[in-house]
Amino acid sequence: MKMLAGLRRRWHARHHADVRRETELGSRRCRFELMEERRVMNADPLHIGVVYTEEDGGSDLHGDTFEVTFTGGAADTELTRLVLSGDKNGVPGYQLGDVFFDTVEGGLGADHAFAFQIISQGAIQSVTATVADGDMTLILDFVGFRAGDKLVFQIDVDEIQEAWPPGSTDYDRINEGIDPITSGVEFQGSTITADFVAPHFQNATGSAEFRNFYDANFAGKNLNLPADNDGGKRDRTAGGVASLTQVPKPITIEGTVFHDQNLDLAQDAGENGIGNVSLALFQKDASGNFVSTGFTTVTDAQGHYRFGENLNLMPGTYQVRETQPSGYFSVGAIPGSVAGASSGSVLSGNVDILTEISIPLGDTHAVKYDFAEAQPASISGYVYADRNNNGLKESGEVGIAGVTMQVIPLNTIAAQSTVTVTTDANGFYEVTGLVPGTYRVVEVNQPAGYYDGLDTPGTVGGVPVGTVTNPGDSLENIFLGGNANGINYNFGELEPGSISGRVHLTDRQGDCFSAEALNRPLGGVTVLLRDGQGNILKQTLTNTNGEYRFDNLAPGTYVIQEITPEGYIDGGDHIGTVAGVKVGVITENDLISSITIAPGDQGVNYDFCEHEPSQLCGNVYHDENNNGLFDAGEDGIAGVTV
């Protein structure tokens, strides 16, 4: 009786634990159910069958036989647990008609006992049975039980034919009311509960009752199990079959919206995400159209977004649509990967949509579905008088106002028109709000009164960007990324120079540089301006003050030549000064060479001096009184050569 009481305590403890477990599993048991239309990747239905055969003919010498197998389901589906329960009504304690497992001789049960024994398990890796003598529940745990595998085992099953009150201790009376031979109809009403696992699918649980006539329930399930009347054992068999549908685990889609400053469609170091950008999720329906899932999200402070597991998204083909953030230009969208393989594309004609993101399996994560954005760019610079012609705008070099400039797009990420501006009073120009891309800056009109100087590409973020060919008035290949600020795209201009001087006579003593000489100007004298190769560039005549001047000279090296007027004799030449410094070389009479003029230089006092012609006269005569004087009355002698 003590043994019986112990058995009953163990049974009640296990029974209540099983009841709790069944309650906990109830919410996730799979039944026949209508699935949402968008769940397009479900596996074939699972069918698990168990056939019970009572093997003894009026005695209890052998165990009863169970055969277990399943078909269908997703790839790599495994049966992990099978629970056989003889508790037919769920009421605690042994009730009339309940069945239990008689595993120990002399314990609870009539006639003989038969412990759990595997007859065959095929390719199943392991089978672990949990059952005690008198249990109404047999728990089988498996490793490697796949579709088509079969387990055959034996165990003794007895039936309660007479209920007894809880706490009964009359062991003999209890066993007297137990039937050692449990036929198919007597086993009917017992239940199976099966747990399945599969990659990419949620764990699935199905339950069913054993029925005495089960062939109709097994029809079409392709279960390799004995039929109801197999071997003429129609009244000794019962079968239970559970059918269930596996549900894929949710999928996820995520990515980043970021500021792509260098427009390379990759989030590089220092390129920050953009927060609070809205995105919407669409899914392809059975007709091939993308329809809204109703799910939207916004990026976090790092620009990251995620359509997560909480949305219970099923495998399928998706589309992510970005709402273009204010203040940005779209660089493009970047398809990511699903389970390490590239999937998806940018919708033709709309770079704010990533489409055809195919996610065929549950528990799969689509990552790096990114959107690249860029803020507007700007460019600025000066048009200025480059005093030393070195291409650098230095202190004291003044800007030139009113010059027309054009910023011309060459290759930009969106449509951009040419922008025309005019330099201000400081020679400064600036264009903002530019679509990122590559540009050319052109000085449209050469400032009046200036010669073309050196143009210089500036910098973007402190780095030189752009090319130039001087002369040309154009800066090329200026790449302006997102939020780029190109500065000092400058155009140097050259102020014209001049050379001037005088032509005058010597004084009466022949001195070219006396005060008297400088006050004797010679007008109408021709003066030539030649280049360094001797080519005549200009010519002029001295005015009544003897002055000449060549203006609007481009920086360079010049030669001044005076043409000695007819009737005068060359007197001398004077090298003048440029910026206070004597510059030039007298290479021959009336020619001053190597006069170097920088922008704005004034070459002065390049002077030329001429002699007036002199006379010498006398007489050849007959000096009658030989006194050396041509006296009156003395005759001249003609025809004498002097």
Side-chain angles (χ1 to χ4, degrees):
M1 289 302 174
K2 290 182 180 179
M3 180 172 63
L4 175 61
L7 285 171
R8 289 177 60 80
R9 284 195 297 270
R10 289 198 304 273
W11 182 88
H12 282 295
R14 184 174 292 111
H15 176 78
H16 289 304
D18 289 339
V19 169
R20 288 195 300 271
R21 180 176 176 274
E22 292 296 319
T23 301
E24 292 167 355
L25 290 175
S27 61
R28 60 186 180 94
R29 285 181 175 175
C30 289
R31 300 281 195 265
F32 289 108
E33 60 181 359
L34 292 175
M35 308 304 292
E36 294 182 25
E37 188 176 69
R38 61 189 175 90
R39 296 180 176 177
V40 297
M41 304 301 289
N42 289 337
D44 293 336
L46 274 170
H47 305 291
I48 178 167
V50 182
V51 171
Y52 163 79
T53 303
E54 195 281 309
E55 294 289 355
D56 295 301
S59 69
D60 203 14
L61 297 175
H62 306 287
D64 302 309
T65 302
F66 290 83
E67 297 184 50
V68 183
T69 191
F70 76 93
T71 60
D76 298 322
T77 295
E78 291 190 24
L79 173 63
T80 59
R81 170 168 283 195
L82 178 66
V83 178
L84 301 175
S85 175
D87 184 4
K88 299 179 181 180
N89 53 32
V91 177
Y94 294 97
Q95 304 297 319
L96 181 65
D98 287 345
V99 298
F100 64 92
F101 300 99
D102 184 7
T103 62
V104 177
E105 292 284 354
L108 182 66
D111 204 355
H112 295 287
F114 197 92
F116 176 84
Q117 180 179 333
I118 295 175
I119 305 304
S120 65
Q121 65 185 70
I124 303 169
Q125 295 178 33
S126 71
V127 180
T128 302
T130 302
V131 64
D133 184 57
D135 279 354
M136 286 192 288
T137 301
L138 168 63
I139 300 174
L140 299 176
D141 291 301
F142 306 104
V143 175
F145 195 154
R146 299 177 182 271
D149 292 338
K150 181 188 285 190
L151 171 68
V152 180
F153 67 90
Q154 289 186 334
I155 192 170
D156 185 22
V157 179
D158 288 359
E159 182 194 12
I160 306 297
Q161 289 291 325
E162 182 181 16
W164 62 89
S168 296
T169 58
D170 189 345
Y171 186 66
D172 292 333
R173 174 63 187 274
I174 292 172
N175 284 343
E176 185 182 4
I178 293 175
D179 185 358
I181 308 300
T182 305
S183 67
V185 70
E186 291 169 331
F187 197 78
Q188 179 174 275
S190 300
T191 61
I192 61 170
T193 301
D195 295 342
F196 294 89
V197 297
H200 308 292
F201 285 82
Q202 297 179 13
N203 295 344
T205 299
S207 298
E209 290 186 352
F210 281 91
R211 305 304 299 172
N212 183 35
F213 302 136
Y214 59 84
D215 283 348
N217 296 339
F218 279 34
K221 306 298 192 297
N222 297 316
L223 294 166
N224 181 23
L225 294 173
D228 184 16
N229 196 33
D230 188 60
K233 300 178 180 180
R234 179 180 59 191
D235 296 327
R236 300 168 63 185
T237 58
V241 60
S243 297
L244 57 149
T245 300
Q246 294 165 288
V247 178
K249 291 182 179 179
I251 60 92
T252 65
I253 302 175
E254 63 185 283
T256 302
V257 180
F258 66 95
H259 186 197
D260 189 10
Q261 292 175 293
N262 59 4
L263 315 184
D264 67 347
L265 292 176
Q267 188 175 11
D268 305 311
E271 293 183 334
N272 297 324
I274 305 170
N276 204 37
V277 180
S278 297
L279 301 108
L281 187 65
F282 287 68
Q283 185 177 14
K284 183 179 283 188
D285 64 13
S287 300
N289 300 314
F290 282 98
V291 297
S292 175
T293 63
F295 296 126
T296 61
T297 189
V298 295
T299 57
D300 62 18
Q302 287 72 46
H304 184 254
Y305 73 90
R306 191 169 194 263
F307 295 100
E309 291 91 343
N310 61 303
L311 303 180
N312 199 34
L313 298 171
M314 291 294 100
T317 302
Y318 287 89
Q319 189 180 83
V320 179
R321 300 184 183 183
E322 177 208 28
T323 298
Q324 182 65 30
S326 176
Y328 289 86
F329 295 101
S330 180
V331 179
I334 307 114
S337 61
V338 176
S342 297
S343 179
S345 60
V346 180
L347 184 66
S348 177
N350 193 332
V351 294
D352 290 334
I353 298 179
L354 287 168
T355 192
E356 299 297 336
I357 304 169
S358 178
I359 309 175
L361 298 173
D363 197 27
T364 304
H365 309 290
V367 298
K368 299 289 289 181
Y369 286 85
D370 298 344
F371 295 87
E373 307 293 339
Q375 290 178 310
S378 67
I379 192 167
S380 63
Y382 289 87
V383 179
Y384 67 102
D386 189 3
R387 187 67 182 79
N388 55 6
N389 196 26
N390 66 349
L392 302 175
K393 188 179 186 305
E394 298 167 321
S395 177
E397 293 181 334
V398 299
I400 303 171
V403 182
T404 301
M405 309 295 297
Q406 284 188 336
V407 177
I408 302 170
L410 301 178
N411 183 18
T412 54
I413 62 175
Q416 171 67 61
S417 301
T418 295
V419 181
T420 302
V421 294
T422 303
T423 58
D424 64 14
N426 298 312
F428 179 74
Y429 73 92
E430 181 178 30
V431 177
T432 60
L434 293 171
V435 176
T438 303
Y439 287 86
R440 169 190 296 133
V441 179
V442 175
E443 182 186 33
V444 176
N445 58 306
Q446 181 65 30
Y450 290 88
Y451 289 97
D452 187 31
L454 297 176
D455 307 324
T456 308
T459 60
V460 178
V463 178
V465 176
T467 60
V468 65
T469 300
N470 282 307
D473 286 337
S474 178
L475 300 176
E476 304 286 336
N477 302 314
I478 305 167
F479 176 76
L480 300 174
N483 202 32
N485 183 22
I487 61 173
N488 294 324
Y489 285 83
N490 296 340
F491 293 80
E493 306 299 341
L494 305 178
E495 293 181 283
S498 67
I499 300 175
S500 64
R502 297 175 63 190
V503 178
H504 59 86
L505 298 174
T506 64
D507 63 15
R508 297 188 186 281
Q509 287 73 40
D511 186 351
C512 275
F513 304 107
S514 67
E516 179 188 349
L518 295 176
N519 288 318
R520 300 182 69 197
L522 189 59
V525 179
T526 299
V527 181
L528 304 178
L529 177 70
R530 297 179 182 270
D531 62 19
Q533 289 71 46
N535 301 306
I536 297 174
L537 303 176
K538 296 181 180 182
Q539 72 176 44
T540 188
L541 297 174
T542 58
N543 61 20
T544 56
N545 294 319
E547 299 168 338
Y548 73 91
R549 183 181 183 90
F550 294 106
D551 286 316
N552 296 318
L553 300 183
T557 300
Y558 294 93
V559 176
I560 298 294
Q561 180 182 7
E562 181 228 14
I563 305 300
T564 300
E566 188 175 348
Y568 290 86
I569 300 170
D570 183 43
D573 308 322
H574 178 261
I575 298 173
T577 60
V578 178
V581 178
K582 190 174 182 180
V583 177
V585 177
I586 298 174
T587 53
E588 57 182 272
N589 289 340
D590 293 337
L591 201 69
I592 304 174
S593 303
S594 302
I595 306 171
T596 301
I597 299 296
D601 278 348
Q602 308 294 314
V604 297
N605 298 326
Y606 287 86
D607 297 343
F608 298 90
C609 179
E610 303 296 341
H611 289 286
E612 288 183 289
S614 300
Q615 297 181 7
L616 180 64
C617 60
N619 297 284
V620 178
Y621 65 96
H622 182 197
D623 188 6
E624 293 181 356
N625 56 7
N626 195 28
N627 63 353
L629 300 173
F630 189 20
D631 298 324
E634 292 179 338
D635 298 324
I637 305 171
V640 179
T641 300
V642 179

